[in-house]
Each structure stands twice: as structure tokens, then as C-alpha cells.
Amino acid sequence: MKIGSLFAGIGGFDLAGEWCGHRTIWTSEIDPYCVALLAERFPDAKQLGDISAIDWAGVERPDILTGGFPCQDISYAGKGAGLAGKRSGLWYEYARAIREVGPRYVVVENVRALFTRGFDAVLGTLADLGYDAEWSMYGAADVGEIGRAHV
């Protein structure tokens, strides 16, 4: 399956996908260090840059769209702006990407606080776009040694 990766960071979702036999076809990331690392890890993947500036019309449709949109406005450590915040509000750009490219599957990652600071809006948006949602919550301890062995 083909993966498109938003807010790609260091490519965690993408690495997991590749280890399962999938292929990352494009990433979207703005941090210069991460962009360089993604280019090294996924040399055949196209880098789309800033999610808010992407014209989705010419972007190849992935089977799986992944991304962990910014959590700063959602986190309990932040000021609590939720999805109305400038950074966490990028969820709506994620939703635009889903609407425009129409992936078969969508994987959304965020912090636990999303359950009280925007989860209803995320689920509602996914439903409006025709997606059924399932969710789980995992902490760092759930990953154990496997998560550290490949990084």
C-alpha cells in the first residue's frame, strides 16, 4: 500500500509502514532537520512542504494517509486553545487533505488531551468526510523495547 505522511516529523509512521511492506510516496514537513532526515530515510518520496500551501489537485492518492497534527494547543501543558489554536488548528488542513486526496485509510495521532479538547470535532469531521472511526490510546510504556530498537 502507498503511504502519504502529513506532519511527518522523523518519519515514525512511515518507518513502521515500510517495515510492514508499504511504501511512502510523499511526506509533508516543515522542520529543516526533519525534512533532511526524511529525504535520507525515504529518498524516493516526494517532499510536499508546508501543509497549508499544498495544492492537492496534483498529489498522488495514497492508500493510507498518516499524521500527528500539532498538539501544543491541545496539550494540558498548553493554554487550552484546542483546535481553535494556530498550531493545533492545522487539523483542518489535515481534513482538507483527506477530502482532496481521498485515501482509503486515515491514521490520526495526538495527545490524550484531545479527548477533551477537540476529539468530537475530529470525529465529526471524519464522519462528514465519509470515514468510520476506531481509536485506541497508547502510552510510551506500551511500545517497550521494540519502539527503541529501530530508531
Side-chain angles (χ1 to χ4, degrees):
M1 296 179 96
K2 298 181 290 186
I3 298 171
S5 182
L6 302 173
F7 312 102
I10 61 168
F13 282 128
D14 314 302
L15 286 172
E18 299 237 341
W19 294 335
C20 293
H22 307 306
R23 181 173 57 92
T24 301
I25 57 172
W26 52 259
T27 63
S28 170
E29 178 57 58
I30 60 170
D31 179 89
Y33 172 80
C34 292
V35 170
L37 185 59
L38 291 166
E40 181 180 316
R41 288 185 169 169
F42 310 102
D44 297 328
K46 184 176 182 180
Q47 173 49 249
L48 303 181
D50 183 347
I51 188 173
S52 63
I54 297 171
D55 176 4
W56 294 106
V59 175
E60 183 177 358
R61 179 186 179 265
D63 298 298
I64 306 169
L65 183 60
T66 67
F69 65 97
C71 68
Q72 292 92 333
D73 301 310
I74 295 168
S75 173
Y76 292 132
K79 295 183 180 181
L83 297 178
K86 181 178 180 182
R87 292 173 288 189
S88 297
L90 286 170
W91 157 251
Y92 296 105
E93 290 294 332
Y94 193 153
R96 182 174 68 93
I98 296 167
R99 183 177 56 253
E100 296 293 323
V101 300
R104 184 171 175 194
Y105 301 103
V106 177
V107 178
V108 178
E109 180 274 333
N110 214 283
V111 295
R112 177 185 299 257
L114 180 63
F115 281 113
T116 58
R117 293 184 173 172
F119 192 59
D120 55 343
V122 170
L123 287 182
T125 301
L126 290 170
D128 289 346
L129 294 171
Y131 289 85
D132 185 22
E134 296 181 22
W135 56 91
S136 296
M137 191 176 324
Y138 301 99
D142 296 322
V143 178
E145 294 301 316
I146 292 173
R148 290 184 285 278
H150 298 289
V151 176

